[in-house]
Amino acid sequence: DVCSSDLGTPDPKWDFEPDTLKIKAGTTVSIVDQGGEPHTFTEVTQFGGGFIPTLNGPGETTIPECTNGFANLAVAKTRILQGSTFNVTGLSKGQHRFQCCIHPWMRVTVEVR
């Protein structure tokens, strides 16, 4: 995995798949970091910029959930290291948005029925 040389331009190989995940309540969501960089899987109210401004898209600012990077305990708890798995449990019914606070183009919506 290599970040794009253009700042703020996402590398198409770095993505959460699928973009939308539909699950039943009580299902565990497992996220596996298969690349060569750490990521986060942070629940956010609205998608937006991460904590590294040069990796944000044009006009995107850091969203509240990603503020202060790993100094923010809520962000640090969602870090996924290379080759590791991160599990999310107990999601309530409805729509949940998750993104990487480092690479903010990595986004997924989880719909819980």
Side-chain angles (χ1 to χ4, degrees), residues 26-99:
T27 301
T28 297
V29 178
S30 293
I31 301 86
V32 179
D33 185 341
Q34 298 176 324
E37 295 289 330
H39 299 288
T40 75
F41 195 73
T42 308
E43 187 162 10
V44 300
T45 304
Q46 295 294 326
F47 294 127
F51 63 80
I52 302 174
T54 56
L55 293 180
N56 293 338
E60 279 189 329
T61 58
T62 302
I63 56 174
E65 295 90 344
C66 295
T67 300
N68 297 323
F70 292 126
N72 177 341
L73 188 57
V75 173
K77 286 181 176 182
T78 67
R79 181 171 45 191
I80 313 164
L81 298 177
Q82 301 91 312
S84 67
T85 301
F86 180 78
N87 292 317
V88 176
T89 59
L91 291 175
S92 60
K93 287 185 179 183
Q95 193 174 77
H96 300 265
R97 292 175 186 87
F98 293 88
Q99 78 173 53

